[in-house]
Amino acid sequence: DEYNKCLKGGLNETVAWDKMPAVIRSQNLLFVDGEFYPNNEALYFKGDADPNAIGDQNNDNYIQWRRAGDFIAGGFPRIFKNPGNLSQSVRPEYIRMGGADDAWLIAVLSTCALKPSIIANLFLSADGNNDASNNREDKMYGFYRMRLCVNGIWKDCIVDDLFPCRPYWLPVMASAPDNDQLWPHLCEKLVAKIRGNCYEALHGGSPSAAFADITGCPTEEYDLRTYDTDLLFEKLHTSYNVNNYNMLAVAVCNAQHELDNVEQRIGLISGHTYSVLGIDLGAEKIQVRDPFGRNENKFGGQYATQVSKSQQTGVMWLSFAEFVEYFTNVVVCYSENAYKEARQTIDLSFDSDKQQVSVPILKLTVPNGGNVEYLGLAQKDLSVRSQNPNRSHLDLCLFVFKANDAQASLDVAKHEPHGYIPMSTQRNKF
């Protein structure tokens, strides 16, 4: 089969991701990812032993892994349905949540689609022309080169184009509503791969982590029970209506399940993450989207009559009062395009004999006329399947010292701190 051909062609676990494309092309292979092998272990941690795993191929719910070209409309795989015009290919309503419990991720991807360049930035592979006989892009070999900001550092990766589907039908995970492009499927599979080569690894996650992984940009979370909501609405208005989405947002409904019967009362789902897609400050209303992309017919809020029952996009307007009543948390991402990044991996080591922690000192040179907008710390994502489940994030802080002379050496024993990031066990802290 295709996987055995890959093995015979020299693809195995010893080949680095960045070396795989050359091997695949030279051997004219159709790539099958051995780490994310298309079987029940790619769906469930327990594989065939999971109670949801179905072995009977005659069962309608049996999962068949299909190549993108076998199910996509037209039979020719496309990352973007119109590569020459991203605004026609990447829109919030063009991604729909599937069988994975990953509203935290799909809502963030949907919001990021307000700025199509964010989604395009995840892809290193290109679409090329629409002539299959004359197209030599990666997709013709069944793979896509992508990247994700993992633990604060951009990391290149390769994924295949095999997706779990109903027998001879469509994918059961995230998809494009019109089945005409692959970026929704691929973005979700990329995150599933990084988190443990299994779709179950997507079950339960943090919107803050999703924003940081997808954009590499700083994030912040607001508790609507304590934060000045008028100020937050003003910030959202400025970003969405004035500054070209330099701050993107998602919102979590009734995160702590403190309110009862929310779904019956207004049609929203407690604990569910929604994209924030627009705001009208004058009319005091805010636009959100359910990542399922099809539940707006259950909505019973003030603007329910303005919801299109036929389009099934999951988009709906709420009054500010309804939003504050039913939503408890808003997570924002400062997605300004003009950032110049400097990223560095560091190791913190502990000397058990001396009972001392080795703390690195980093020097950042800021050019004349420049400013430091954000400093951040990122720790390993402990939700990743390969991590020790007994580990916890460290309680970290960062002290900042300033020297006006670029050549001056800093002495932390003598210089006064210029600023600091407070101690925190958060995975990402800015």
Side-chain angles (χ1 to χ4, degrees):
D1 60 6
E2 293 173 348
Y3 181 57
N4 287 328
K5 289 180 180 178
C6 287
L7 292 177
K8 291 179 181 178
L11 287 180
N12 53 54
E13 65 275 5
T14 65
V15 180
W17 289 346
D18 61 327
K19 306 296 183 185
M20 286 184 178
V23 177
I24 295 169
R25 289 173 174 273
S26 67
Q27 300 293 320
N28 197 31
L29 300 169
L30 271 177
F31 178 58
V32 179
D33 187 350
E35 294 181 335
F36 204 161
Y37 190 76
N39 60 14
N40 281 330
E41 289 188 2
L43 295 173
Y44 313 108
F45 290 152
K46 295 181 179 179
D48 294 336
D50 190 280
N52 295 302
I54 297 174
D56 181 7
Q57 297 188 21
N58 294 317
N59 189 313
D60 289 341
N61 292 320
Y62 176 77
I63 296 299
Q64 178 186 39
W65 291 79
R66 306 185 73 197
R67 290 277 181 190
D70 294 332
F71 64 76
I72 195 168
F76 185 70
R78 293 178 296 275
I79 303 172
F80 304 111
K81 62 182 180 181
N82 188 344
N85 190 335
L86 281 177
S87 64
Q88 293 184 3
S89 303
V90 181
R91 295 179 180 175
E93 65 271 24
Y94 287 172
I95 181 170
R96 180 176 285 173
M97 183 176 164
D101 183 14
D102 60 352
W104 60 275
L105 172 63
I106 304 304
V108 166
L109 286 166
S110 180
T111 296
C112 287
L114 290 168
K115 298 181 75 169
S117 60
I118 292 177
I119 302 297
N121 186 56
L122 301 177
F123 290 89
L124 302 175
S125 294
D127 263 312
N129 60 57
N130 289 324
D131 180 3
S133 64
N134 193 35
N135 191 308
R136 295 295 178 267
E137 299 295 343
D138 296 340
K139 64 184 182 182
M140 306 308 294
Y141 300 87
F143 75 93
Y144 295 83
R145 290 174 295 119
M146 301 180 69
R147 68 178 197 153
L148 200 67
C149 192
V150 181
N151 303 326
I153 302 293
W154 285 104
K155 180 177 182 179
D156 295 354
C157 186
I158 179 173
V159 297
D160 65 27
D161 69 344
L162 286 157
F163 298 96
C165 302
R166 294 294 177 222
Y168 305 102
W169 193 232
L170 300 177
V172 298
M173 299 300 178
S175 61
D178 293 331
N179 189 36
D180 54 357
Q181 52 186 342
L182 293 172
W183 70 261
H185 312 67
L186 290 166
C187 288
E188 183 185 55
K189 187 168 187 178
L190 172 66
V191 177
K193 178 172 179 59
I194 294 296
R195 287 171 65 92
N197 293 298
C198 181
Y199 279 101
E200 189 175 345
L202 297 173
H203 292 189
S206 159
S208 295
F211 266 135
D213 291 349
I214 292 164
T215 69
C217 294
T219 64
E220 190 170 5
E221 184 165 356
Y222 297 101
D223 187 332
L224 297 185
R225 294 164 299 182
T226 58
Y227 191 75
D228 184 342
T229 54
D230 289 339
L231 179 58
L232 178 60
F233 290 142
E234 182 65 40
K235 288 182 176 181
L236 291 171
H237 163 74
T238 302
S239 169
Y240 280 59
N241 300 324
V242 180
N243 289 343
N244 192 30
Y245 305 110
N246 66 345
M247 185 181 79
L248 299 171
V250 297
V252 183
C253 175
N254 194 24
Q256 286 73 37
H257 296 268
E258 295 172 345
L259 298 176
D260 296 327
N261 303 317
V262 170
E263 189 165 359
Q264 290 77 11
R265 289 159 62 181
I266 194 171
L268 299 171
I269 303 172
S270 292
H272 202 52
T273 305
Y274 291 76
S275 304
V276 175
L277 301 184
I279 184 168
D280 186 330
L281 202 61
E284 296 189 347
K285 62 181 183 178
I286 189 167
Q287 188 181 58
V288 301
R289 178 180 185 262
D290 183 343
F292 278 118
R294 55 172 69 93
N295 286 333
E296 66 269 37
N297 59 333
K298 300 178 181 179
F299 181 58
Q302 178 178 336
Y303 296 99
T305 57
Q306 298 182 14
V307 172
S308 172
K309 308 298 183 183
S310 60
Q311 291 182 343
Q312 289 287 293
T313 62
V315 177
M316 51 204 133
W317 286 94
L318 284 80
S319 69
F320 283 179
E322 289 170 333
F323 186 78
V324 172
E325 179 179 0
Y326 292 105
F327 286 83
T328 51
N329 303 79
V330 171
V331 179
V332 303
C333 174
Y334 298 102
S335 54
E336 173 60 54
N337 294 331
Y339 292 137
K340 300 297 183 183
E341 301 177 355
R343 299 176 183 271
Q344 178 66 48
T345 301
I346 60 174
D347 289 319
L348 300 178
S349 58
F350 178 70
D351 188 322
S352 58
D353 294 330
K354 297 181 180 180
Q355 292 290 296
Q356 291 180 347
V357 177
S358 175
V359 181
I361 298 175
L362 302 177
K363 185 176 182 179
L364 175 65
T365 301
V366 182
N368 291 333
N371 293 296
V372 177
E373 293 291 332
Y374 293 97
L375 291 171
L377 292 170
Q379 303 189 56
K380 288 184 178 179
D381 185 357
L382 297 183
S383 63
V384 171
R385 184 181 180 186
S386 61
Q387 295 294 331
N388 185 337
N390 296 320
R391 289 184 58 189
S392 60
H393 285 128
L394 296 176
D395 205 0
L396 292 179
C397 65
L398 175 71
F399 288 96
V400 181
F401 298 84
K402 182 178 180 180
N404 293 324
D405 184 353
Q407 303 302 319
S409 60
L410 290 174
D411 187 340
V412 296
K414 297 179 180 179
H415 288 82
E416 292 186 5
H418 179 70
Y420 70 99
I421 296 178
M423 190 167 286
S424 170
T425 57
Q426 291 176 252
R427 182 188 153 204
N428 297 286
K429 178 69 176 178
F430 298 94

